[in-house]
Amino acid sequence: MRIREWDRNLRIRLIGESLVGVTFWMIFPFIAIYFSDMFGRQKAGILLVISQLFSVIANLLGGYFADRFGRKKMMVLAACGQAAAFFLFALFNSPLFSSPLMSFICFVLVSVCGSLYWPASQAMVADVVAEKDQRRVFAVFYTMNNVMVVIGPLLGGIFYPEYRFFLFLTAGTFCTIVAVVLFIYLDETAPIWRKPTGTWYMFFIEQLNNYRLIVKDRTFLLFIVAGILVAQTFMQLDILLPVYIKDVVSQQTLFSIGSWSLSLSGEKAFSVLIAENGLLVVLFTVAVTKWMENYKEKWVFVFSSLFYGIAIFLFGQTTSLWIMMILIAVFTLAELMTVGLQQTFVAKLAPGHMRGQYFAVASLRFTLGRTIAPLVLTLPFAYHWTFFILMLLAICSAWLYAVMFQMMEGKRA
């Protein structure tokens, strides 16, 4: 399915979300370092956990609202909220005024709005794309996001330390533009779009009952738990790894040609690694997605978790930037193996009128995973033991995926 054949909604979103993505990735890979410098490593870990608890609640609300009020309305409101949060971020990092605590509150607001946006955006794809084409469409969105992952961190490594104020202003401006475009040009795609009825507490009771029905599906529940466990590895890409690299990677020469050499350390070394991850995703997402179609879903999920575990463990055993670049390649392979496959898996399980809520519950793999992930910054262990614990979690995830598919095969039999 070629992009020119896509529904207009998806083409608009592809451009708009790319616009926001480049500024997002200029800023957020460095947030963990910023909070660690401002509050200390352990306090920063606790604050990041608190911020993601709000995101978990917002994510569940976002799924419910996307089904009840419509995909478009939630996406427009979330984009407006992110714009306001980024403008406040700029205010509290301006040349005249600086407040780390208020910056943290702005970070919470940006995260919450992102969590409100995501279920509606994923459900919209499932609404307008046939099941056989969904994996490819999700993969294109993922690839475009990672084009921004290549560009953003490289620019952020140059501009973020000195020009945070202007980056936040730019992000707020882009979010405002996207909100306006979505409001004017986006069409509603929700199969059922009804106004809320009843009292406020009936609204919450109905919501909780809907999610309770979803998590009663043991297969789906195992999928979520396994996803949360493996998320503890890939979430460290912008939580533990930047702090670790800043602490252990001294000035290292990557290339030397005659009298010219490229030497990196700290934030710039990390920006190169995350840009490498994005570049590999851009180059190989489609190829790896097609490659994985030759294998059973079971083994794709299992080996993805195992590759994550191997890569994260070896990260903690080296200080060489070159070896870290090789490990990022393994990390990226694990990431690409399940691109599109996870969303397609959820779409197959979800009834049409509850897609937003199914995607919201499924995204607990990321929101709840990201809530737990910063706790590694508070662990009293040496780095290599912390990375060992993360590897064990990835292995547990692989085992749960195997159990999940065995359970599904048993039901079919």
Side-chain angles (χ1 to χ4, degrees), residues 200-240:
W200 65 270
Y201 58 85
M202 289 303 295
F203 156 79
F204 284 106
I205 291 172
E206 181 182 349
Q207 182 182 16
L208 290 173
N209 284 336
N210 285 342
Y211 286 126
R212 185 166 56 85
L213 289 174
I214 293 171
V215 298
K216 277 186 175 180
D217 184 338
R218 292 182 62 192
T219 301
F220 193 52
L221 185 59
L222 283 176
F223 174 72
I224 294 167
V225 175
I228 290 171
L229 290 177
V230 75
Q232 301 314 301
T233 58
F234 62 75
M235 290 295 179
Q236 305 308 327
L237 193 61
D238 55 4
I239 296 174
L240 178 62

Side-chain angles (χ1 to χ4, degrees), residues 83-111:
F86 274 123
F87 284 133
L88 289 173
F89 231 140
L91 173 65
F92 296 120
N93 287 269
S94 65
L96 299 178
F97 185 72
S98 178
S99 173
L101 180 59
M102 295 306 297
S103 293
F104 168 73
I105 294 173
C106 293
F107 172 71
V108 172
L109 291 174
V110 171
S111 299

Side-chain angles (χ1 to χ4, degrees), residues 20-300:
V20 174
V22 69
T23 50
F24 179 92
W25 286 104
M26 288 173 69
I27 296 166
F28 279 87
F30 308 97
I31 285 294
I33 296 174
Y34 172 73
F35 288 140
S36 293
D37 289 342
M38 293 297 102
F39 300 110
R41 179 179 157 185
Q42 291 191 332
K43 188 177 289 186
I46 294 171
L47 289 174
L48 289 172
V49 168
I50 293 171
S51 73
Q52 295 310 308
L53 285 173
F54 286 101
S55 293
V56 170
I57 297 170
N59 192 73
L60 296 176
L61 290 173
Y64 183 83
F65 292 155
D67 287 335
R68 188 132 193 198
F69 301 114
R71 323 303 194 207
K72 174 181 175 177
K73 183 175 289 186
M74 289 310 303
M75 293 167 69
V76 171
L77 288 174
C80 290
Q82 282 198 319
F86 274 123
F87 284 133
L88 289 173
F89 231 140
L91 173 65
F92 296 120
N93 287 269
S94 65
L96 299 178
F97 185 72
S98 178
S99 173
L101 180 59
M102 295 306 297
S103 293
F104 168 73
I105 294 173
C106 293
F107 172 71
V108 172
L109 291 174
V110 171
S111 299
V112 164
C113 291
S115 295
L116 289 173
Y117 185 96
W118 195 86
S121 70
Q122 299 298 292
M124 180 174 283
V125 175
D127 290 339
V128 300
V129 180
E131 184 179 316
K132 63 183 178 63
D133 296 317
Q134 285 175 7
R135 187 184 298 193
R136 299 284 177 86
V137 173
F138 282 123
V140 171
F141 270 96
Y142 195 79
T143 301
M144 185 57 69
N145 178 64
N146 280 276
V147 171
M148 304 305 106
V149 173
V150 176
I151 300 169
L154 291 176
L155 295 175
I158 298 171
F159 296 112
Y160 180 83
E162 302 295 332
Y163 301 102
R164 281 198 300 270
F165 171 70
F166 295 104
L167 290 183
F168 290 135
L169 274 183
T170 303
T173 302
F174 283 177
C175 286
T176 301
I177 294 171
V178 169
V180 171
V181 170
L182 294 180
F183 178 75
I184 295 173
Y185 295 107
L186 217 61
D187 296 320
E188 184 54 64
T189 65
I192 295 178
W193 187 23
R194 54 193 173 90
K195 293 182 179 181
T197 58
T199 59
W200 65 270
Y201 58 85
M202 289 303 295
F203 156 79
F204 284 106
I205 291 172
E206 181 182 349
Q207 182 182 16
L208 290 173
N209 284 336
N210 285 342
Y211 286 126
R212 185 166 56 85
L213 289 174
I214 293 171
V215 298
K216 277 186 175 180
D217 184 338
R218 292 182 62 192
T219 301
F220 193 52
L221 185 59
L222 283 176
F223 174 72
I224 294 167
V225 175
I228 290 171
L229 290 177
V230 75
Q232 301 314 301
T233 58
F234 62 75
M235 290 295 179
Q236 305 308 327
L237 193 61
D238 55 4
I239 296 174
L240 178 62
L241 287 183
V243 178
Y244 173 71
I245 290 167
K246 183 183 178 186
D247 287 348
V248 306
V249 176
S250 56
Q251 195 79 11
Q252 296 183 26
T253 300
L254 276 183
F255 300 103
S256 181
I257 303 174
S259 59
W260 179 86
S261 63
L262 175 62
S263 298
L264 299 170
S265 65
E267 288 99 330
K268 290 184 179 179
F270 170 67
S271 68
V272 167
L273 290 174
I274 199 168
E276 178 197 351
N277 169 255
L279 179 61
L280 291 175
V281 168
V282 171
L283 294 176
F284 297 110
T285 292
V286 175
V288 175
T289 299
K290 289 182 179 178
W291 180 27
M292 290 301 111
E293 290 175 357
N294 298 320
Y295 301 97
K296 290 184 176 180
E297 289 180 336
K298 173 181 179 178
W299 298 118
V300 175

